Amino acid sequence: MTCKDVKHLLLSYLDDEVSLEERKAIEAHLSVCPSCEDELEALASTQQQLRQAYKTMLVGASPSSYVWATIREQLEKKNCKVSILDLVKSRMKGRVETLKLRQRVWKVALASVLALALILTLWLAIPSLLSQSFEAKAKDIVMKNATVQALVAEAGFPITGLTAEVAIPEVTGWMRPEGYDRPVSQVQLVNKKDGMVVAYVIVEEETEDVIWVNVPSSKKVVSIPPQPPSAEGWGETAVEIAKGDAEVQQMLDSGAEIGEVIALLPSEEEEDEHRFAWVKLLQGEKRWFVEVDLTEREVVRIVEW
Amino acid sequence: MTIEEFEAFFQRYKDRIFRTAYSILGDSGEAEDMVQEVFVKVYRSGGFLHPEKGKFEAWLHRLTVNQCISSRRKKKHLLLSIERLEDDGFELAEDNCASPEKLLIKKEESKKVWRALRSLDKRHRTVLALRYFDDLCYDEIAQVLKIPLGTVKSRLSSAIEALRKEQLGKD
């Protein structure tokens, strides 16, 4: 390797992003080239300074306390629904015209009939429309699902070479388990080149989870449990753990009540197998979240707001 | 989820989002704006309710990085200065084992590096932050930024080069 080749690879070498062969070649060159050795030291020093600068500047950094207030304001603005009728009424105030009673009754009756017809039409059409709209979404969910992508890639079909089409149940080959009555969509992944079906996928509409994948060419059929787990399991466990905490028990004895339980996703610093949940406590206007570690079976903290 | 419940979610992740944004944007005011944008976006998308297991952290991180990359610098914010951070009562992280003199030297060196970082263009700042703050490997950086691995390597290389030139120029 020449000095130019080695210098080009030094950063990747320091970041441990070179192959074993490259590493050996670089180290062999460094042992006989002081110039490249100096360059390596300078690069390592720059990396160390960078890491130190980030650590110094960012560890412990936190946004100002007003940030939440600003976010809340934005979310509340969007949640506020203004009644158009109220706006019109407020503008018409003082300029109300008197209508003949007979005409008003006739118009109200006609409007009622039309409204009823509209409601009936929507009631008949909406399930079909919703189903169609979720089918489009199901295709998107399937194309972006990591498990599906991994399975079809393993079979030799990268996801970029496939398109998703809604399938009829019989063709998909999925058998609905006994007692399972949630609505699902069935999607086929088709090879763009030859139009052959590469995979069959089932998506649960309520949770938008992929629950079943069949890749015939690799003879792989994967059933994926929906996430998060059912409330009958972890929810009861979370409440049980919370009630076992002395501080929580004190709060319950003082009149607080247990509200809903919310699944909490693991953070980067936590072990993958740790699961957490929030148990909501309510007392009048007051609210608390009890954070529970389901793996260690203990209360981590109680957050009040 | 109600807004009140979303606040608990905000408290849990705000620091992480802030630090990622700050590492890329280099300005605490802009980073705070970014925190607001990201959380409002998360709330409206409802994405955190139905993510794939184990992917939520990566999704949130990617969202933050992409928002930072696509954001435009707002002139109303003053350029971040380390002095402003200290005025705000922000304590620079300390090494409990080091002497006061060594700490001071370390702080001054970090300030210089930080100033040099802030003068780089956003693409360079982003790859440096993802590699040396978030500690992502090259493949992970490629996935977050949706660029080829080769581009990650060359961009990191040019970022380090630019940083060293900036440091040499200031010294």
Side-chain angles (χ1 to χ4, degrees):
Chain A
M1 266 191 175
T2 64
C3 286
K4 189 181 173 187
D5 296 332
V6 168
K7 282 180 180 170
H8 180 68
L9 288 172
L10 281 180
L11 188 63
S12 300
Y13 170 76
L14 282 170
D15 286 337
D16 203 21
E17 295 270 357
V18 294
S19 66
L20 189 56
E21 276 174 17
E22 284 172 330
R23 174 171 290 278
K24 283 179 180 170
I26 291 166
E27 285 171 357
H29 181 92
L30 287 173
S31 66
V32 297
C33 180
S35 162
C36 287
E37 182 67 39
D38 288 344
E39 177 62 15
L40 181 75
E41 276 180 27
L43 266 178
S45 171
T46 303
Q47 284 188 334
Q48 171 58 23
Q49 286 172 358
L50 257 177
R51 288 197 172 96
Q52 184 58 49
Y54 283 124
K55 187 179 165 188
T56 303
M57 299 303 297
L58 297 177
V59 168
S62 194
S64 311
S65 51
Y66 77 82
V67 169
W68 170 249
T70 312
I71 291 172
R72 190 190 176 112
E73 199 182 306
Q74 288 185 52
L75 298 182
E76 281 172 347
K77 257 188 212 170
K78 290 293 173 181
N79 281 349
C80 175
K81 286 181 179 143
V82 177
S83 160
I84 300 296
L85 188 58
D86 288 341
L87 272 178
V88 171
K89 277 184 182 171
S90 69
R91 290 198 179 178
M92 290 294 290
K93 198 175 176 181
R95 289 191 276 160
V96 175
E97 297 175 11
T98 308
L99 296 173
K100 290 182 181 178
L101 184 60
R102 209 176 284 175
Q103 282 178 334
R104 187 184 286 175
V105 167
W106 180 79
K107 281 179 183 174
V108 166
L110 180 62
S112 301
V113 168
L114 288 172
L116 200 60
L118 181 64
I119 289 166
L120 195 62
T121 308
L122 286 173
W123 182 68
L124 289 170
I126 276 175
S128 166
L129 287 170
L130 283 176
S131 170
Q132 285 171 15
S133 126
F134 185 78
E135 280 170 358
K137 199 171 184 182
K139 290 187 208 176
D140 192 51
I141 290 168
V142 167
M143 290 296 283
K144 287 177 179 169
N145 182 274
T147 304
V148 169
Q149 287 180 2
L151 286 170
V152 295
E154 195 183 28
F157 302 102
I159 198 75
T160 47
L162 307 177
T163 57
E165 293 174 7
V166 173
I168 54 176
E170 294 81 0
V171 174
T172 304
W174 178 68
M175 297 294 293
R176 186 178 282 272
E178 198 174 326
Y180 181 84
D181 58 354
R182 297 184 188 179
V184 297
S185 280
Q186 300 88 27
V187 176
Q188 289 178 350
L189 290 179
V190 177
N191 193 343
K192 285 178 191 172
K193 281 183 188 165
D194 57 16
M196 299 297 289
V197 176
V198 162
Y200 302 94
V201 186
I202 300 291
V203 183
E204 190 178 275
E205 289 187 21
E206 192 180 329
T207 59
E208 298 184 6
D209 283 330
V210 167
I211 61 168
W212 186 87
V213 185
N214 177 5
V215 182
S217 62
S218 59
K219 296 191 172 104
K220 280 213 169 151
V221 177
V222 175
S223 280
I224 304 158
Q227 295 294 333
S230 68
E232 288 82 0
W234 60 267
E236 282 180 351
T237 305
V239 168
E240 184 195 322
I241 296 167
K243 281 182 175 174
D245 181 80
E247 195 177 339
V248 172
Q249 197 52 55
Q250 211 172 352
M251 292 162 79
L252 292 171
D253 290 342
S254 305
E257 290 175 350
I258 290 179
E260 61 184 298
V261 187
I262 302 162
L264 192 63
L265 299 160
S267 70
E268 280 171 9
E269 293 87 18
E270 290 150 359
E271 297 293 326
D272 279 346
E273 59 268 21
H274 275 243
R275 297 299 301 268
F276 294 84
W278 282 327
V279 176
K280 196 172 170 183
L281 293 184
L282 314 157
Q283 188 173 12
E285 295 291 318
K286 290 185 181 177
R287 301 281 183 272
W288 296 268
F289 275 139
V290 181
E291 188 170 312
V292 171
D293 185 331
L294 294 165
T295 310
E296 296 296 328
R297 296 188 66 87
E298 63 183 13
V299 169
V300 176
R301 59 185 160 184
I302 300 173
V303 179
E304 181 187 356
W305 78 94
Chain B
M1 205 180 238
T2 63
I3 290 177
E4 285 76 19
E5 288 157 355
F6 188 69
E7 185 184 0
F9 167 82
F10 166 81
Q11 294 298 337
R12 186 177 174 83
Y13 292 107
K14 66 179 169 71
D15 290 345
R16 210 165 304 158
I17 305 290
F18 177 73
R19 287 166 201 165
T20 296
Y22 193 177
S23 71
I24 294 171
L25 301 170
D27 180 301
S28 71
E30 284 190 46
E32 286 186 344
D33 284 350
M34 193 49 58
V35 168
Q36 289 171 31
E37 279 184 40
V38 166
F39 277 99
V40 169
K41 207 172 177 101
V42 168
Y43 183 85
R44 290 193 189 138
S45 75
F48 66 97
L49 292 174
H50 297 291
E52 294 172 21
K53 183 183 176 183
K55 295 283 171 86
F56 175 71
E57 293 284 332
W59 176 80
L60 192 57
H61 181 258
R62 260 199 319 274
L63 176 68
T64 306
V65 171
N66 290 333
Q67 287 291 113
C68 287
I69 289 169
S70 58
S71 74
R72 291 192 177 179
R73 192 178 205 93
K74 290 178 183 135
K75 288 180 186 172
K76 67 177 181 179
H77 286 295
L78 298 175
L79 290 177
L80 170 77
S81 70
I82 290 131
E83 288 74 19
R84 182 195 155 186
L85 282 173
E86 290 177 332
D87 287 344
D88 286 347
F90 171 68
E91 298 277 329
L92 297 181
E94 294 189 359
D95 178 352
N96 290 329
C97 301
S99 66
E101 293 77 20
K102 280 187 181 170
L103 270 175
L104 195 61
I105 292 168
K106 218 183 251 186
K107 278 185 191 178
E108 289 306 311
E109 280 174 359
S110 293
K111 281 184 194 181
K112 282 183 191 170
V113 174
W114 192 255
R115 284 195 192 100
L117 261 174
R118 291 201 62 247
S119 65
L120 302 183
D121 70 47
K122 201 190 281 185
R123 286 192 320 166
H124 285 160
R125 284 205 306 271
T126 303
V127 286
L128 289 176
L130 292 177
R131 177 72 197 97
Y132 299 109
F133 176 61
D134 288 326
D135 217 24
L136 301 188
C137 68
Y138 288 13
D139 266 332
E140 286 167 334
I141 295 172
Q143 282 175 34
V144 169
L145 298 180
K146 294 192 188 332
I147 56 177
L149 187 61
T151 306
V152 172
K153 290 180 181 178
S154 63
R155 204 174 281 185
L156 266 172
S157 193
S158 63
I160 292 276
E161 195 54 42
L163 181 71
R164 287 165 81 183
K165 269 190 191 155
E166 192 58 41
Q167 285 177 295
L168 283 170
K170 297 273 191 233
D171 285 341

